[in-house]
Every structure is written in C-alpha cells, then in structure tokens.
Amino acid sequence: MGQASLLLFGSFALLMALGVPIAFAIGAAAALTFLLFMNFDQSMFIVAQQMASGLDSFTLLAIPFFILAGNIMNSGGMARRLVDFAQILASPLPGSLAHVNVIANMLFGSISGSAVAAAAAVGGVMAPIQKREGYDPAFAATVNITSCPTGLLIPPSNTFIVYSLITGGTSVGALFLAGYLPGILMGLGIMLVAGIVARRKNYAPAPRPTWTDARTATLNAILPLGLIVVIMGGIIGGVFTAAEASGIAVLYTLFVTLVWYREIGIRDLPKILVESAVTTSIVLMLIGASIAMSRVMAFGQIPQAIAEVMLGISDNPTVILLVITMVLLFVGTFMDMTPALLIFTPIFLPVVKQIGVDPVHFGVIMTFNLCIGICTPPVGSALFVGCSVGGVPITRVLRPILPFFAVMISTGLIVTFMPWLSLALPRYFLGY
C-alpha cells in the first residue's frame, strides 16, 4: 500500500507541477501505479478499459444535456430576466445591486448547474450597472465570484450526478434536494457580508420599483424559474429520472429561448452545440481518467489503509470531519472540482461511513468545501471568469475577498455539523 500510494500521488503531483493537463496526469499516474501489480501491456489495457467502462452509465447522460441547457440559457437572455427579477427582491436592501448579484447567481446557477456560467452571464449583466452606480469594481467582482458556487449546491448540479456515480448509486433526487438549504445558507452568508461592506461604503438601496416594473419583471422570470419546477417536480414525483430530466431541460430551454423569447435563432445552435460538446468532452475525459485512478486505489487497498490510519488517530466524528474539511479546502485550492471529487470520495467515504455520516450528507459536505476552491487562486475558474467580466485584475480582489471566504468556510462548518440541513428535504419529500 505504501509503495502504491507514494507512486500514485507522487507521480500525479509531479506531472501536475510539470504542467501536464490534469486528465492526462491522472491517467498516467494510474497507469504507472498499475505497473506495480502487472506488466506494461496489462496496465495500459486496464486503464483504457476502466476509462471506457466507467463512462458507460445512463446517469452520466445528464451531464451533457445539463451543460447544453446551461449554454442555451446563457445565450438566450435568461440571465438578464433573472437579474431584473432579483432587483425586485433586493431593492430595499443597502447595497442592493450586490444582493441582486447574489440572488441572480443563485437563481441562474440553480437552473444552469454551472458556477462559471453564472459568473459569466450574471456578472456580464451586473458589472456595467454596478459601475454606473459607483460601486467599487473589486467589491462587485468579489460578490459575483463568491456567490456563483451556490449553483453547484442548488440543483440541478452535475457535481451531485458525478458523486452519485462514484458512490455506486446514491439517489440523485435525494442529493438534489439535499443541496437546497446549504446552497441558500451559503447565499445568505454572502449577502450578510456584502450588506456589511455596503453600509461601510454607503451604497444606498435602489429606488423602490413601481408595481408595473415589479409585475413585468416577475412575469418575465416565470418561464426561466419554471424550469426548476419542471425538473425537481418531475424527479420528486417519480415522473422521470435525473438523466431524463436533463433532456426535458434542453427541450424546455430551446422552447423558451428559440420560440418564446426569440433571442437565439437556428443559426446560433451549431455554435452552442459545439461549445457544449467541447465542455462535455473535457468533463467526461476527467471522469474517465479519475475512474481509472479510483480503480488502482481500490486495487491497492489505499482507501482502506487511509481509513485505518485516520480512525487510528481518532474515532471522534468531530475530529475526523474537521480533518476531512481541511483536506478538502486545501485540495480545492489546487484541483478542479470534478477530479477532486472523483479521487477523494473513494478515500473518505469508507471513513465517514464508519463514523455514521450519511452518504447524501457527505456528498453535500464534499461539494460545499470543494466549490470554495473555484474562487481561490491559483486555479479557481470562477475567480478568473469573475475578474474578467468585472474588468479588474485578480490582485485587486484578493484582499476584499477574504471576509467572504471566512463566511463561506463558516457556513460550510455549520452544514457539516448540522446534518439536518442536508437531510430535511430528502426525508420530507422522498422519505429518505
């Protein structure tokens, strides 16, 4: 086990340091470690076989369809309508445009399932408005960056689909429902910090909207928000699975943007399809390589050995969960969410099962802690996108973003040690 662990993680770290793309680094590390147990030809065959067979899952069909639905929404004007609706909700609050950004990210992220798409779409709409109203661009970008991960918790979430695959069939519907309250809690925490900063900077509330404006914004948001009702209502009611719901999401968004709003045309679809195919190929390549790495870890009994070591240090659930949280926060800083989830779930899941942590709750813990990493340098995708659309260099947001990180970590700890936040909705609606 010691040799296997050293070779697997050592070669992976070395390849990453050399700038090898992460999917290739994962696959190469898995192949090298298999050489401890078999010859070269067998090692290459097993890695290729595991990458192919690992993607042979009906559940994974949800990922390309949700990605496509998100790209259609990103191009079809839904973000702007959700921003208008969020302005109605947040207008009485000090620094209302910051709260609009948070609420719109929660809404758009929950519909598209992508934090980066939310940061780009909502940030692109909000940045010029906030600049015109005199908001500090660094503050505006910080709010956008730290609020977009809420869409990874509030369903539909591709992260939960991947987690379900890794754990061998944890209910996707239960995971989707489990993400609502933690995602909302994260959003409220961001709004709390944004409100405090807004008061210090004397950002006034927006003028109260007229009844006509409120009615118009609400009516325009009904169709985008209706997608949440269709997807979650169908899954909870047992009408369709998560994979089938993703197909429904594509048809729904096509109808809304192509037929109803007419903000995209038939000529725009090839570009959207190509972008979706490229994104899907990247995600599935990461999943396939990570499944091969998971197989070599299982072959070398690495998760069992790590579980024994951790339980040997302490059998106190609080201590173990704190250690896991610190590891996930550290890993999320240097690794993208999908490979981190695929690599570390098989390692930590046996440990938390032995201390009585529910797999659905642990999926929320994993997602919550890892999604903080997409806002941090050096590889935070949301950080780069948020700074780009906000027109500010990364160096300008590093200081103002610290209080937001503090509240994200604090709310993460609340979710970790209050499992009812994750399990209340699955138990109520699904009898989980």
Side-chain angles (χ1 to χ4, degrees):
M1 191 283 294
Q3 282 184 321
S5 300
L6 183 61
L7 181 58
L8 180 66
F9 296 116
S11 60
F12 173 65
L14 177 61
L15 291 169
M16 287 289 292
L18 293 174
V20 176
I22 187 167
F24 294 100
I26 292 171
L32 285 171
T33 308
F34 267 123
L35 291 175
L36 291 175
F37 309 103
M38 55 194 71
N39 61 40
F40 179 82
D41 291 341
Q42 290 173 324
S43 174
M44 296 301 105
F45 176 78
I46 290 293
V47 170
Q49 181 189 53
Q50 290 302 315
M51 290 181 68
S53 62
L55 297 177
D56 185 16
S57 168
F58 181 75
T59 302
L60 282 180
L61 281 175
I63 292 179
F65 282 122
F66 277 132
I67 288 173
L68 176 57
N71 284 338
I72 293 171
M73 287 185 284
N74 203 11
S75 304
M78 285 190 173
R80 188 182 68 253
R81 290 172 172 84
L82 292 174
V83 166
D84 292 341
F85 178 66
Q87 284 181 310
I88 304 301
L89 299 178
S91 58
L93 302 174
S96 57
L97 290 180
H99 300 298
V100 169
N101 203 148
V102 178
I103 295 171
N105 267 336
M106 293 170 70
L107 294 174
F108 188 83
S110 68
I111 295 173
S112 68
S114 170
V116 173
V122 176
V125 174
M126 291 300 304
I129 300 173
Q130 290 168 317
K131 184 177 181 180
R132 188 168 62 245
E133 294 297 322
Y135 279 61
D136 178 9
F139 169 68
T142 297
V143 172
N144 185 42
I145 292 164
T146 53
S147 61
C148 71
T150 55
L152 298 174
L153 289 161
I154 303 174
S157 169
N158 289 336
T159 306
F160 286 143
I161 295 169
V162 173
Y163 177 83
S164 172
L165 175 71
I166 306 166
T167 56
T170 302
S171 169
V172 175
L175 287 165
F176 278 6
L177 285 169
Y180 270 112
L181 294 181
I184 292 170
L185 181 64
M186 178 190 284
L188 292 175
I190 299 299
M191 291 177 70
L192 175 64
V193 178
I196 293 171
V197 175
R199 281 188 178 276
R200 290 178 179 173
K201 292 179 176 287
N202 294 318
Y203 294 143
R208 287 188 175 275
T210 64
W211 280 107
T212 301
D213 291 338
R215 182 183 62 192
T216 301
T218 303
L219 289 175
N220 287 338
I222 285 177
L223 283 178
L225 295 175
L227 180 59
I228 302 174
V229 178
V230 171
I231 291 176
M232 293 310 300
I235 293 174
I236 293 170
V239 179
F240 40 70
T241 65
E244 293 163 344
S246 65
I248 299 294
V250 172
L251 294 176
Y252 187 98
T253 52
L254 276 174
F255 171 78
V256 172
T257 57
L258 192 65
V259 179
W260 192 266
Y261 292 154
R262 297 184 180 180
E263 297 221 4
I264 62 172
I266 298 294
R267 293 181 179 179
D268 300 313
L269 292 181
K271 180 183 177 182
I272 295 172
L273 289 170
V274 169
E275 290 176 351
S276 302
V278 170
T279 303
T280 298
S281 64
I282 294 170
V283 173
L284 293 184
M285 182 68 180
L286 282 168
I287 292 174
S290 299
I291 287 173
M293 179 178 275
S294 298
R295 177 62 64 180
V296 75
M297 286 194 295
F299 198 82
Q301 297 185 329
I302 294 173
Q304 294 89 332
I306 293 175
E308 290 179 6
V309 170
M310 292 186 69
L311 293 171
I313 295 172
S314 174
D315 58 358
N316 187 319
T318 301
V319 174
I320 292 175
L321 286 174
L322 281 174
V323 171
I324 290 174
T325 295
M326 288 188 290
V327 171
L328 292 175
L329 289 172
F330 176 77
V331 167
T333 304
F334 296 97
M335 190 181 294
D336 189 66
M337 277 195 68
T338 299
L341 195 72
L342 285 154
I343 292 169
F344 287 91
T345 298
I347 292 175
F348 291 140
L349 191 60
V351 179
V352 297
K353 280 184 174 179
Q354 290 192 48
I355 60 174
V357 176
D358 187 276
V360 169
H361 176 48
F362 187 62
V364 175
I365 293 173
M366 292 281 293
T367 303
F368 202 115
N369 286 292
L370 289 175
C371 76
I372 296 174
I374 70 172
C375 306
T376 63
V379 296
S381 52
L383 176 67
F384 295 117
V385 170
C387 288
S388 176
V389 298
V392 294
I394 292 176
T395 51
R396 281 196 61 192
V397 305
L398 293 182
R399 185 172 180 180
I401 209 170
L402 293 178
F404 293 90
F405 281 153
V407 78
M408 292 172 83
I409 293 170
S410 299
T411 51
L413 290 173
I414 291 171
V415 170
T416 298
F417 295 108
M418 298 180 69
W420 65 266
L421 283 168
S422 302
L423 301 177
L425 294 182
R427 286 171 177 168
Y428 181 78
F429 286 102
L430 301 177
Y432 177 80

